[in-house]
Amino acid sequence: MSRSRVLGLIPARGGSKRLPGKNLADLHGRSLLQRAIDAGLAARGIDRLIVSTDDPAIAEAARAGGAEVPFLRPAELATDEASSLDVVRHAMDWADQDEPGAFSHLVLLQPTSPLRTAGDIDQTLTLCRDQDRSTAVSVTPAPKPDVLMIGQGGVLRPASEYGHPLILNGAVYVLKWDHLNIGGAFIAPDTAYHVMDQHRSVDVDTSDDLDRAAKS
């Protein structure tokens, strides 16, 4: 089988120190988890959508919401120290056993970015596929570009002299399967980017963030 399918992955572990139960927190009648599932299911480019979790309650909610939960994440991948790349590679190992040679790309959708849309997903994925990039990510304009400085020629210069500064917003990561198989990271020398507005780039980590997302 030639690699042509796209796997959507939603990482949603049970533990959260700053906002307990964060992934199941309600935002205008839908949980953060359900919002990620809905966007992933609506994205035209995603062929299969799975949730990686260690928590049976999250697994039950994910299945009820329309996503697959084909495994429970091992405990060592459900700690604060576990990296997102480790979680991704664990899911890839499962996918390569379940559908050998099927997937060309993986799309990572964190529930903590509840204001992304299916359009954001498809646009980021299209950038990665059409331009044959190793990865593509969503970004947003830096909130205070006038105070950002970079080192150039041994002196500090305003970052705005080199274009409007952008920062990762965590909403969409698209990764080429072969790039990850050789140990690649989320950001590569050829990473493409899709720009999202600041008001849709809320990253929910605290109750204040959740309130801000509700007002966006």
Side-chain angles (χ1 to χ4, degrees), residues 145-150 152 155-165:
D146 55 314
V147 300
L148 294 179
M149 308 290 285
I150 62 173
Q152 183 74 17
V155 297
L156 281 177
R157 304 188 66 85
S160 57
E161 289 186 9
Y162 303 90
H164 198 104

Side-chain angles (χ1 to χ4, degrees), residues 61-162:
R63 292 190 183 101
E68 293 182 59
V69 188
F71 53 79
L72 283 181
R73 193 191 305 179
E76 63 269 19
L77 294 180
T79 66
D80 290 334
E81 290 73 33
S83 74
S84 295
L85 271 175
D86 289 338
V87 173
V88 166
R89 290 187 174 118
H90 176 262
M92 287 176 63
D93 289 342
W94 168 83
D96 277 335
Q97 293 182 31
D98 195 67
E99 290 190 62
F103 296 101
S104 64
H105 293 77
L106 182 142
V107 178
L108 183 69
L109 303 173
Q110 301 183 113
T112 48
S113 297
L115 303 182
R116 86 170 69 73
T117 66
D120 294 316
I121 297 168
D122 282 326
Q123 289 179 59
T124 311
L125 177 59
T126 296
L127 286 170
C128 194
R129 297 179 96 171
D130 289 1
Q131 299 178 17
D132 194 26
R133 302 296 182 94
S134 300
T135 71
V137 298
S138 60
V139 299
T140 193
K144 294 184 179 180
D146 55 314
V147 300
L148 294 179
M149 308 290 285
I150 62 173
Q152 183 74 17
V155 297
L156 281 177
R157 304 188 66 85
S160 57
E161 289 186 9
Y162 303 90

